[in-house]
Amino acid sequence: MKMIVVFEKAPRLRLIGHLDLMRAMQRALRRSGLPLRYSQGFNPHILLTFAAPLSVGMPGKREIMEVPLEHDVTPEDFVQKLSSALPPDLPVLSARPVDERHPAPMALLTAAVYEAQLEQVPDNFQQTIDGFLAQKEINVMRKTKSGLKPSDIRPMIYDLRLQGGTLHMALALSEKATCKPDLLLQSLFEFAQTERPRALITRLQLLGEEDGVFKPLESL
Amino acid sequence: MNEQQSILLEQLLEQVQKPAQYIGGEMNSVIKDWDSVRFRFAFCFPDTYEIGMSHLGMKILYHLINSRQDALCERVFMPAADMADRMRQSGLPLFSWETRHLLTEFDIIGFTLQYEMSYTNILEMLDLARIPAYRDQRTDDMPFVVAGGPCAFNPEPLAPFIDAFMIGDGEDVMHELIEVIRDGREAKKEKIDILRDLARLEGVYVPALYQAEYNEDGTLRAFYPVDDAAPKVVKKRVVKDLSAAIYPDTIPVPYTEIVHDRMVLEIMRGCTRGCRFCQAGMLYRPVRERSMDRLLELADKLQQSTGYEEMSLSSLSSGDFSCLPQLIQALMDRYRDKRVGVSLPSMRIDNIVKQSLEETQQVKKSGLTLAPEAGTQRLRDVINKGVTEDDLIRSVTDAFECGWSSVKLYFMMGLPTETDEDLRGIGDLAKKVVDAYYRVPKEMRSKNGVRVTASASVFVPKPFTPFQWAAQDTMETVHEKQASLREYLKLKCVHFNWHESGLSMLEACISRGDRRIGDVIYAAWKRGCRLDGWNEHFKFDQWIEAFHDCGLTPDFYAYRERPYEELLPWQFIDAGVSQEYLKKENEKARQVQTTKDCRHGCNGCGLHTWGVCDWVKHPPLKDSDKMSAPLFD
Ligand code: SF4
C-alpha cells in the first residue's frame, strides 16, 4: 500500500532546498521504524515522492508526499510514528492509505493556493487587481529551453483576491502548465506601475480536479 | 534577540549564500526553556557550520551539558564572510543557533580549539557578539570566555583573550567548571574570585594569574603564577574509563550538507604508535578503548535517533582497536536490513572484512586514504612511522582486489633530516602504488582505472612532540622542495596536491607561540584576517604586517631550532608525556632509531606514573599478534 501524507514546512525552514528537505524526510522515515520500501541497486534509498517541490524561501502549510510501504499500517499509527521522528518545524498533519494502483499525487496535481503577505499594500490596490484580471491576455516573458519567450498567464490564474494585507492566489501547477506566484506578483506590480513590496509567500494547499471542481489534492 | 533583530535576521538570510546553515531547528537539536535553567552555555565553534557540525568533540560536550537539568547548551558557528559582513553593517549581533539568544545573554562562551589558523575567527565571533576580545577589557557582568580542545595544550597565544582553559579530556572538568562559575555568579562573587576558584580545579589554566618574562633575545626567561590559587604546573585531565564516560546517543542532524554527514562512533582515544611528529598521538595518551557492549548500544541508539544512512568509526588509529573485525562484523550484521553503510576508518582489509565485502555492499568504497608520511624507510624511521613499503603495497593491493580504485597518499615535507632522496622516495612510492594496481588481475580490479593522489603538507613542529624544538623549513626551501616534488610526481595516473606554505609557517608560529603572539593575532584580525583556513580569505601579507605591528618576526617562532635549555611557553602544562621522554625520542630520531609501539612494552613516556595507562602492566603483544598491516588513518 501507499500512504498519502500531508505535512507542513514551517516558516523557519523556508530556506531549505528541495533536496535537503527530501533527505530530512527520508531520515525521519528511517527513524520512524515504519515498514518502508527501498529502491533496488547499489545505493538503496527510501522510495518517496513529493507532489511538488517547494521553492527555496517558501513555507508550505499542506505539502504532500507519497510513501510506499512494505505492508499495511493504519493511518493513525503512521502519523503517530512519523510525528515522533520529525522535528517541530516539520509536523505531519494527516495520512491516507491508498492502494498500489492509485495514481501518484504528482499526476493528479493541477493547481495550488498561495498567500502573499505584503509588507505594504499600494493605494487602491483592489482596483488595480480588478484591472489586471480584466485583461484578455497577460503576457510575460518566461525562460524556456529555447530562451526567453512570451507566454500568456491569464488562463493560469484561477483566483486572485486581496484580503487586508494578504494576497490570495490560486494558480496553475501541473506538468502541463505552471504559473509561479513570484511571476504573478512581478507581472501584477508591473501592471500597477509600483515597486513590488517585500512579501512572504506561503503555499497553502495543493489542488486537483474532480468533475471539473478543484478539490484538495490529498482527498483525491 | 528582540523582535526587530529577528526581522533583521530574516531579511539578511534572504541576501546571503547558503542561508540554511543559519536557521537551526535541526532534528535532535536541544531547545530548553531559557528561564528554566540556572546556567547557560554557548558552545562556539570557530569555523563555519559545515565544519563545526562535523566535529565530534562538540557533539559530546553539547550532549553532556544539555544532559544537566540545571544547564542549557546552544551552538554558535562562525558566519561565512558575507553573513558576517552583513551582520556587522546592519548591527545584528551574533546569536545562538537554537533559540537565537545573543551571546551576551549566556553565562559562558566556550570555544573549541581544533586548529591554530581558526584563532582570528574567535576574535571575529567575539566582535560580532559585541564582547571585547581582550579579557581585561571585559566587565564582570559579561559572560566568561573559556576554551578547550587539543590546541589548548599551548594556551599562551590566546592567553590575552580567554578567561580559563580546560586542558585534556573535557568530560569531567566541564562539569566542575560549570559548577564553579554557576555558584560564583549566583553568590555574586567578583570575577577575579571566580577565576581563583577555577584555577584550583585540576586541568584548568587561568592566564590572568600568571606572569611571563622575556630575555633580551626574545626567549622566555620565566613563567610563574602570581596568585596562591594558581598551581605552578597545570596537569591535563584524563578520563580513565571511556566506556563509563558520557557519549551522545543522539546528535543534531543537519538539514544542509556538511563535511561529514553521518554518525560517528568514537571507538577509542589515544594511540600507542608514537609517531614523532604527531601531536594528537602524544596529547591523547593513554590509549583507552570503549567496550564492544557500549559501542553496540551507542550504535543502536544513534541509528534510531538520527536515521543516518552511514556510520563511521573514529579514533587516531582505528586499526589498532583490539576487536575491530568483530565490531565491523557486528555493525554490518545489525545494519544490513536498515541499509546503513559502515565506512571503514582506515585501511585494514583483512579476511573478515574482505569476506563481508563480497557478501554485501555495505562497506563504502569511498576513496582510500593512507599516510606513509615520508618517502623513504630512513625518514619513516626518523619519524617513527612504523610502516614499511611492503605493508603499504600489501594494503593497497588488498584494496585494489576488493574493487577500490582511488588512493590518497599523505606525505609531509620538511621533516627533520629530510634530503632530496626522501622527496624522490615519494615519487617512487606513488609509482609503486600504481604498479600494484596493474599487477592485480583485470577481472578482480575496478574498471575505473587507478587514480593516486599524493598530498604533501608542510611539516609543522608542534608542542609536546619530540620535534617541538625543531626548526621549520623556510618558505623558500618549501617552494624549492615543492618544485622538485612536482617533477618527481609527474607520473601517469598520479595527481599531486600541495599546501599553502604561508599558512603552515603561520601555523608553526602560533602553535609554538608565547603570550605576545596574542597581540599578533589581534593585529591580523584588525587588518581583516579571518577564515584563514579558507584559501579565498587567507591574507598572508596582512599577517606579516601584523607581526611587524607588534615588533615580532615569524622567523623567531617558526625557523629557529630551540635549544633544550630554553624555557618553552607551554612547559608549565603537564601533558603526561614528560619533557625528558620527548628529548630522548628526539635524540633517537637523530640517530634514526625507532621506538616500539607501547603495546609491545611500556616505553615509560611519563604517563606510567599516573596510573591511567592500561598498557603499563599489560603483557606485551607478541610479534605474531601484531597487526597484519599497520593502519594509517
Ligand atoms: S605509559 Fe607506557 S604504555 Fe602508556 S602510553 Fe606511555 S609509554 Fe605507552
Side-chain angles (χ1 to χ4, degrees):
Chain A
M1 79 184 235
K2 305 190 290 187
M3 207 56 95
I4 307 290
V5 186
V6 184
F7 67 95
E8 179 187 351
K9 179 188 175 194
R12 182 173 189 160
L13 302 187
R14 71 186 199 287
L15 293 161
I16 304 275
H18 177 62
L19 290 178
D20 287 342
L21 184 67
M22 185 99 147
R23 192 175 50 232
M25 199 51 94
Q26 278 172 339
R27 285 181 180 157
L29 285 162
R30 292 168 64 94
R31 291 188 288 265
S32 71
L34 286 161
L36 307 165
R37 247 188 273 161
Y38 288 85
S39 65
Q40 297 296 312
F42 195 69
N43 259 326
H45 58 265
I46 290 173
L47 293 179
L48 160 77
T49 45
F50 282 54
L54 264 176
S55 332
V56 174
M58 200 184 289
K61 278 266 183 242
R62 295 185 72 78
E63 290 302 302
I64 292 175
M65 62 177 178
E66 182 191 74
V67 185
L69 295 172
E70 267 306 325
H71 55 78
D72 289 5
V73 175
T74 65
E76 295 76 27
D77 202 24
F78 184 95
V79 170
Q80 191 253 319
K81 285 210 166 95
L82 184 54
S83 290
S84 62
L86 281 167
D89 297 297
L90 213 53
V92 44
L93 305 175
S94 68
R96 181 168 74 99
V98 294
D99 79 64
E100 285 304 321
R101 284 178 305 272
H102 192 82
M106 201 192 289
L108 298 172
L109 178 70
T110 53
V113 182
Y114 306 86
E115 66 169 29
Q117 287 164 292
L118 306 178
E119 212 159 66
Q120 294 133 22
V121 181
D123 296 339
N124 299 326
F125 198 47
Q126 185 59 55
Q127 272 173 356
T128 312
I129 293 172
D130 294 342
F132 179 71
L133 289 176
Q135 302 175 92
K136 278 220 175 59
E137 275 183 17
I138 303 177
N139 278 313
V140 296
M141 296 303 281
R142 297 231 260 194
K143 265 189 231 133
T144 67
K145 278 187 207 103
S146 44
L148 276 181
K149 281 232 174 101
S151 121
D152 176 18
I153 57 168
R154 182 63 192 90
M156 298 180 207
I157 305 172
Y158 304 132
D159 191 13
L160 181 62
R161 273 176 298 122
L162 185 68
Q163 256 171 9
T166 305
L167 208 50
H168 286 265
M169 307 169 257
L171 306 172
L173 175 60
S174 74
E175 277 161 4
K176 279 173 254 131
T178 293
C179 174
K180 290 199 170 158
D182 194 62
L183 189 68
L184 177 95
L185 286 190
Q186 189 189 320
S187 165
L188 176 61
F189 283 95
E190 264 166 32
F191 178 80
Q193 290 180 323
T194 43
E195 204 189 320
R196 179 177 160 179
R198 286 172 44 85
L200 175 68
I201 306 175
T202 305
R203 187 153 78 189
L204 300 179
Q205 176 77 61
L206 295 169
L207 300 173
E209 270 162 79
E210 198 175 49
D211 307 326
V213 183
F214 283 124
K215 293 237 170 104
L217 183 63
E218 62 269 25
S219 68
L220 295 177
Chain B
M1 61 174 68
N2 61 33
E3 178 79 32
Q4 218 178 342
Q5 288 165 331
S6 307
I7 295 171
L8 187 57
L9 171 59
E10 293 301 332
Q11 287 174 5
L12 294 191
L13 290 180
E14 275 164 31
Q15 300 159 16
V16 297
Q17 301 276 309
K18 299 194 189 170
Q21 64 180 308
Y22 306 107
I23 64 174
E26 306 94 328
M27 184 69 193
N28 302 331
S29 58
V30 181
I31 298 192
K32 290 194 182 185
D33 179 4
W34 187 261
D35 296 316
S36 72
V37 295
R38 289 164 68 188
F39 194 84
R40 299 161 191 94
F41 194 108
F43 198 113
C44 297
F45 196 94
D47 213 319
T48 55
Y49 181 82
E50 56 182 325
I51 295 176
M53 278 295 283
S54 306
H55 184 251
L56 176 62
M58 178 171 206
K59 293 171 187 160
I60 296 178
L61 293 172
Y62 179 73
H63 181 75
L64 177 143
I65 301 169
N66 275 321
S67 64
R68 293 178 66 105
Q69 284 260 314
D70 63 344
L72 65 75
C73 179
E74 302 195 356
R75 295 159 301 154
V76 185
F77 301 91
M78 171 74 186
D82 62 342
M83 183 67 171
D85 288 344
R86 282 178 200 273
M87 288 171 69
R88 190 170 278 118
Q89 281 154 18
S90 61
L92 180 69
L94 188 58
F95 53 88
S96 67
W97 258 234
E98 275 75 4
T99 60
R100 297 185 175 173
H101 276 83
L102 304 187
L103 264 61
T104 39
E105 299 174 273
F106 286 83
D107 297 292
I108 298 190
I109 293 176
F111 285 96
T112 175
L113 310 178
Q114 301 296 321
Y115 179 38
E116 290 83 0
M117 295 315 291
S118 68
Y119 287 177
T120 52
N121 295 346
I122 296 177
L123 304 186
E124 177 78 346
M125 288 171 80
L126 288 173
D127 188 62
L128 286 170
R130 310 228 179 113
I131 295 172
Y134 282 94
R135 56 179 157 71
D136 54 15
Q137 289 169 18
R138 294 196 289 263
T139 51
D140 278 21
D141 57 330
M142 285 183 184
F144 276 70
V145 179
V146 305
C151 296
F153 276 85
N154 178 18
E156 283 300 89
L158 291 178
F161 315 118
I162 303 291
D163 293 313
F165 291 89
M166 288 169 267
I167 314 292
D169 295 328
E171 282 99 335
D172 298 326
V173 68
M174 179 61 91
H175 286 300
E176 296 163 19
L177 176 122
I178 285 178
E179 281 155 24
V180 164
I181 298 179
R182 179 198 69 192
D183 295 347
R185 291 200 131 194
E186 286 180 356
K188 303 253 178 315
K189 280 194 189 178
E190 275 186 52
K191 181 167 175 184
I192 181 67
D193 291 325
I194 304 178
L195 289 175
R196 283 197 185 103
D197 293 344
L198 285 173
R200 289 190 190 97
L201 296 174
E202 190 171 287
V204 174
Y205 165 54
V206 177
L209 309 182
Y210 294 77
Q211 175 91 42
E213 286 172 19
Y214 300 91
N215 295 310
E216 249 166 56
D217 64 2
T219 54
L220 196 60
R221 180 169 58 221
F223 186 85
Y224 48 88
V226 291
D227 191 288
D228 291 345
K232 273 209 185 65
V233 171
V234 178
K235 232 174 127 184
K236 82 164 175 186
R237 293 296 290 264
V238 177
V239 169
K240 195 167 181 302
D241 181 357
L242 217 53
S243 299
I246 192 164
Y247 193 82
D249 48 27
T250 166
I251 52 173
V253 182
Y255 285 109
T256 57
E257 263 177 301
I258 59 169
V259 181
H260 299 299
D261 200 8
R262 52 186 175 240
M263 336 169 233
V264 181
L265 214 48
E266 187 198 28
I267 56 177
M268 64 178 181
R269 208 171 281 179
C271 176
T272 51
R273 293 190 170 265
C275 298
R276 292 181 178 129
F277 58 86
C278 177
Q279 191 186 30
M282 298 293 163
L283 297 183
Y284 290 109
R285 284 184 178 209
V287 161
R288 291 143 291 165
E289 296 194 349
R290 272 201 172 86
S291 68
M292 274 283 270
D293 289 349
R294 176 81 170 126
L295 287 171
L296 292 176
E297 173 205 330
L298 287 169
D300 285 345
K301 287 189 180 160
L302 271 173
Q303 203 280 324
Q304 270 161 30
S305 70
T306 63
Y308 265 127
E309 46 295 284
E310 193 185 340
M311 161 167 280
S312 70
L313 308 179
S314 156
S315 78
L316 290 172
S317 176
S318 298
D320 292 344
F321 183 64
S322 56
C323 355
L324 185 70
Q326 294 92 314
L327 176 65
I328 290 176
Q329 191 63 59
L331 288 175
M332 293 206 289
D333 286 346
R334 64 185 61 208
Y335 284 161
R336 195 158 292 133
D337 297 336
K338 294 187 175 124
R339 270 84 162 178
V340 177
V342 181
S343 58
L344 287 188
S346 58
M347 250 307 292
R348 177 128 167 269
I349 318 273
D350 56 22
N351 289 335
I352 289 186
V353 181
K354 240 178 171 174
Q355 202 182 358
S356 316
L357 266 174
E358 278 147 27
E359 280 171 24
T360 146
Q361 297 295 346
Q362 255 180 297
V363 175
K364 280 200 76 168
K365 282 185 198 157
S366 47
L368 185 68
T369 308
L370 302 106
E373 308 290 4
T376 59
Q377 195 57 49
R378 183 200 67 83
L379 192 52
R380 283 195 294 272
D381 287 347
V382 167
I383 63 175
N384 205 43
K385 180 86 197 181
V387 174
T388 64
E389 193 175 295
D390 289 349
D391 294 333
L392 180 91
I393 297 303
R394 192 168 56 234
S395 295
V396 293
T397 305
D398 280 343
F400 290 146
E401 286 173 358
C402 293
W404 263 272
S405 62
S406 88
V407 180
K408 278 197 202 125
L409 298 175
Y410 282 118
F411 296 98
M412 260 184 271
M413 52 197 239
L415 286 163
T417 77
E418 184 183 65
T419 65
D420 187 57
E421 199 186 322
D422 300 304
L423 299 176
R424 274 179 204 279
I426 293 178
D428 294 345
L429 212 51
K431 172 126 196 337
K432 284 176 184 159
V433 170
V434 174
D435 293 345
Y437 171 84
Y438 286 106
R439 271 201 306 276
V440 172
K442 265 211 175 94
E443 54 291 356
M444 283 176 88
R445 67 193 194 208
S446 151
K447 279 155 208 71
N448 300 340
V450 64
R451 185 181 160 81
V452 175
T453 309
S455 299
S457 61
V458 181
F459 168 63
V460 178
K462 292 274 166 116
F464 297 107
T465 66
F467 295 153
Q468 62 179 356
W469 296 277
Q472 190 184 39
D473 269 354
T474 64
M475 282 173 66
E476 262 174 21
T477 312
V478 169
H479 289 149
E480 283 163 19
K481 288 183 174 178
Q482 281 173 339
S484 314
L485 261 181
R486 253 197 310 274
E487 281 306 309
Y488 303 149
L489 285 162
K490 267 196 187 139
L491 300 165
K492 236 180 121 189
C493 311
V494 176
H495 179 80
F496 175 43
N497 273 338
W498 62 93
H499 286 236
E500 176 66 61
S501 58
L503 199 64
S504 307
M505 191 268 273
L506 291 170
E507 189 186 333
C509 293
I510 299 175
S511 70
R512 292 186 301 166
D514 50 35
R515 257 180 203 214
R516 298 170 302 179
I517 287 289
D519 293 332
V520 176
I521 299 170
Y522 187 80
W525 170 75
K526 268 276 170 202
R527 289 174 163 278
C529 295
R530 62 179 171 181
L531 295 162
D532 297 295
W534 299 73
N535 247 330
E536 65 269 37
H537 297 298
F538 180 50
K539 300 190 180 87
F540 181 69
D541 297 345
Q542 295 303 318
W543 270 99
I544 299 305
E545 290 300 316
F547 272 92
H548 294 160
D549 294 348
C550 302
L552 297 167
T553 64
D555 301 24
F556 173 82
Y557 292 96
Y559 299 155
R560 193 170 55 88
E561 165 139 19
R562 304 184 191 198
Y564 286 146
E565 309 78 65
E566 187 176 323
L567 182 61
L568 301 170
W570 53 92
Q571 215 160 308
F572 70 100
I573 296 220
D574 182 358
V577 177
S578 68
Q579 294 294 326
E580 292 69 53
Y581 181 74
L582 296 175
K583 272 178 210 163
K584 209 169 82 194
E585 279 294 294
N586 191 35
E587 289 305 315
K588 282 173 91 175
R590 306 280 150 180
Q591 281 142 36
V592 202
Q593 283 175 20
T594 57
T595 296
K596 61 187 185 301
D597 187 315
C598 296
R599 286 167 304 161
H600 300 293
C602 173
N603 292 305
C605 71
L607 267 171
H608 55 296
T609 62
W610 286 35
V612 291
C613 184
D614 291 340
W615 283 100
V616 177
K617 291 202 193 95
H618 198 282
L621 289 188
K622 292 185 290 314
D623 260 4
S624 54
D625 298 335
K626 217 172 132 185
M627 300 299 144
S628 48
L631 266 270
F632 337 101
D633 267 296

